[in-house]
Amino acid sequence: QSTWGNLTSMARPSIFVTTAIVLGCVLMASLGSTTNAFNKLETAIRNDVKLSQLVLNVVASMGLLGVNLNFVFGKMCDRFGPGWTGLLCAVLGGSGYFMVSISTSKGDAWLLTIGLFIAGLGNGGCFLAALSTAIAVSPTGSGISVSAVATAMGLCIALTVYIISVYSSVADCAADHCWPSWARVLAIA
């Protein structure tokens, strides 16, 4: 059976293949909590779109809710495997950030909220798929593989802030009206 299906039923891969798979899982998990870095976008959105702090708090909360409602993707991992789950969740995360990027007027607060929720669902599901894969290919079922993936999700906030900062510097786009471009960078990442 392929790695897209049930990983627990396949033979243990070599240490080289295991390391490559775990590094891929680390990369996947490194985007698993980008919605936690919403505050990097929040000030720019508030200044550009003129949304109230209350509305922005609801938007941020919905993104965090999405990240933490990944039990649905746990069931999907069990049924279809982490490969298909990860692929679906990557599409959800990218689509959610694209929705955020087109929410450029005050009347689009609902789209911003739904977009960040969908991005959160996708990102949380990607983390779950990455963690499931790391556990399945690890010789002991845990240890360094799991801690590497979990650490990547924890460092995700710093990575997200760095990506946005580098993009702002390279594109000479630090003004408040550039936040939709930042969201598109996250959609692509």
Side-chain angles (χ1 to χ4, degrees), residues 7-161:
L7 289 174
T8 57
S9 68
M10 53 182 260
R12 291 277 178 218
S14 70
I15 190 69
F16 175 76
V17 172
T18 299
T19 302
I21 291 172
V22 169
L23 287 176
C25 292
V26 164
L27 289 173
M28 192 171 170
S30 69
L31 293 173
S33 192
T34 55
T35 53
N36 288 335
F38 180 72
N39 64 332
K40 182 68 177 170
L41 300 174
E42 184 177 348
T43 303
I45 292 171
R46 183 183 322 110
N47 294 339
D48 186 40
V49 184
K50 309 293 188 231
L51 293 175
S52 70
Q53 188 61 48
L54 176 64
V55 171
L56 289 169
N57 288 345
V58 169
V59 170
S61 296
M62 291 305 289
L64 295 175
L65 181 65
V67 167
N68 292 297
L69 282 180
N70 55 22
F71 59 86
V72 172
F73 299 113
K75 182 69 174 165
M76 188 175 173
C77 268
D78 290 344
R79 177 133 188 210
F80 301 107
W84 291 114
T85 304
L87 180 63
L88 172 67
C89 291
V91 169
L92 282 174
S95 300
Y97 276 121
F98 181 74
M99 289 170 69
V100 167
S101 78
I102 61 173
S103 307
T104 57
S105 71
K106 195 170 189 171
D108 292 337
W110 64 273
L111 186 60
L112 181 65
T113 306
I114 292 170
L116 200 62
F117 177 76
I118 290 171
L121 275 177
N123 293 341
C126 279
F127 171 71
L128 186 66
L131 190 60
S132 296
T133 303
I135 290 169
V137 300
S138 176
T140 61
S142 62
I144 192 71
S145 300
V146 172
S147 63
V149 172
T151 300
M153 186 169 183
L155 293 174
C156 169
I157 297 169
L159 177 66
T160 303
V161 170

